[in-house]
Amino acid sequence: MKLLNPFPLRPHLPSLVYLPGMDGTGRLLHRQSESLAPFFNLHCLSLPAVSINSWDEMAQGVISLVSRKIKQKPVYLCGESFGGCLALKIALKKPEIVDKLILINPASSLRQVSWLGLGITLSHWLPETVHQASTLGFLPLLASLSRIEASDRRQLLQAMRSLPQSVVCSRLSLLYDFVVEPFQLQQFKQPSLIIASGADRLLASVEEGKRLQNFLPQAQLEILPQSGHACLLESQLNLTKILKNQNFLPT
C-alpha cells in the first residue's frame, strides 16, 4: 500500500488521509480534491490490486504509513464505504494518530443486507468474464448515475473492473464479517463527522449513520437526501462546503 499526493505538500497545512472504497485505487477523490487542497495536505491511500489482507493487517499498514510519512498535524482521517470500515479500525486501534474522523457512507452495515451474503457466495463461482460483465449492472446500485458526469461514470466503472475477482470476493467477505462493538466506539473521544446518503440503493447508510452517531461520543451527522452511495463523484456535491458547515474545516 502507498499514499498518493495529488498536490505538492505544504508544511503549514494539516493532513487529510483519504481511505477509498472497495476499489482501493485512491483516485476517486479527484472531484473533491481541488476545493479541499487550500485547507489540507491530501494523502490518498492506494491498495495493491492483488492484496488480500485482514482488517488488522490493513489497519496496521496504514498506521505505519501515517507514522512514517505524515509530519503535518493535525490528521483528519476520511474513509468512504469500505474505507469507512478501515477508518474505524484504525481509529479504535490507534486513536492518538487521528485528530478528526470523517466517515462517508461507511459499509459497516453490509451484513444487514441479506441478499449480499448470497451474492458473495455466488461470486466465488462466476467465471471471470461474467464477473467483469456484471459490474455494469451493479453500477446503478453503487451510484446515483443522473448526478454523476459521464466521464466520472466511466472512471468508476474502470475502478470497479480493476480488481481481480478473487480480491473482490475477499473484500466483500471482509465487509460481511466486519463488526465493531458499541463499547469500542464509545472509547473514541475525538470529533467525528458521519456523512450519509439518503438515496443510497446499496446500503442503509442513513440508519447506519444514526447508529454510529449514537455510540461515537463526539459525532455529528450530515444527511444528503438526494445522493447515492458513491456521493463524492456527484457533480453537485462539495465536501469542503459540508466540512465548513459542520465546523470541520481547519482554522
Side-chain angles (χ1 to χ4, degrees):
M1 61 176 62
K2 59 184 178 181
L3 292 174
L4 308 176
N5 304 113
F7 299 98
L9 301 181
R10 290 151 293 172
H12 64 285
L13 291 181
S15 298
L16 186 144
V17 180
Y18 170 69
L19 308 180
M22 203 174 71
D23 65 282
T25 62
R27 298 191 182 97
L28 296 182
L29 186 67
H30 66 275
R31 182 160 285 280
Q32 308 300 329
S33 296
E34 191 170 337
S35 64
L36 289 169
F39 302 96
F40 299 101
N41 284 311
L42 297 179
H43 307 266
C44 300
L45 179 69
S46 178
L47 296 172
V50 295
S51 70
I52 301 176
N53 295 318
S54 69
W55 286 118
D56 282 343
E57 289 169 335
M58 285 189 289
Q60 188 55 55
V62 175
I63 290 168
S64 298
L65 270 178
V66 170
S67 300
R68 293 196 324 267
K69 301 287 187 181
I70 297 180
K71 308 304 179 186
Q72 299 87 1
K73 306 290 183 179
V75 172
Y76 289 59
L77 189 63
C78 176
E80 181 183 17
S81 190
F82 181 92
C85 295
L86 181 55
L88 282 169
K89 286 289 186 181
I90 294 165
L92 300 178
K93 191 179 185 73
K94 196 81 169 175
E96 60 268 28
I97 74 166
V98 182
D99 294 284
K100 291 193 178 183
L101 177 66
I102 303 166
L103 303 173
I104 302 170
N105 294 326
S108 44
S109 65
L110 184 139
R111 192 179 186 88
Q112 300 170 23
V113 185
S114 57
W115 64 267
L116 278 176
L118 176 61
I120 293 169
T121 302
L122 292 175
S123 64
H124 286 277
W125 301 99
L126 287 177
E128 181 69 31
T129 53
V130 176
H131 166 75
Q132 287 289 323
S134 68
T135 56
L136 184 60
F138 192 68
L139 205 59
L141 291 177
L142 192 61
S144 181
L145 298 180
S146 63
R147 297 170 62 86
I148 298 177
E149 294 181 1
S151 60
D152 287 330
R153 292 199 294 269
R154 289 192 294 270
Q155 190 161 346
L156 176 59
L157 184 61
Q158 183 180 5
M160 292 168 63
R161 289 177 170 173
S162 67
L163 296 179
Q165 184 178 356
S166 59
V167 175
V168 171
C169 294
S170 174
R171 291 181 185 174
L172 283 172
S173 296
L174 282 174
L175 288 174
Y176 196 70
D177 294 335
F178 181 86
V179 177
V180 171
E181 300 294 345
F183 77 89
Q184 295 174 290
L185 296 171
Q186 290 165 353
Q187 303 307 307
F188 185 74
K189 306 300 184 182
Q190 285 86 318
S192 306
L193 173 61
I194 305 159
I195 299 173
S197 293
D200 191 336
R201 298 176 183 174
L202 185 65
L203 298 173
S205 289
V206 172
E207 288 79 0
E208 180 65 4
K210 291 177 180 178
R211 186 186 77 86
L212 292 172
Q213 185 186 29
N214 284 337
F215 296 119
L216 288 166
Q218 289 199 65
Q220 303 161 230
L221 176 63
E222 171 87 12
I223 297 175
L224 311 175
Q226 306 302 321
S227 290
H229 188 71
C231 61
L232 295 184
L233 287 173
E234 295 177 2
S235 56
Q236 301 98 322
L237 188 135
N238 188 306
L239 179 58
T240 306
K241 287 184 178 179
I242 293 173
L243 298 183
K244 181 179 179 181
N245 291 341
Q246 293 287 350
N247 294 317
F248 240 68
L249 276 184
T251 56

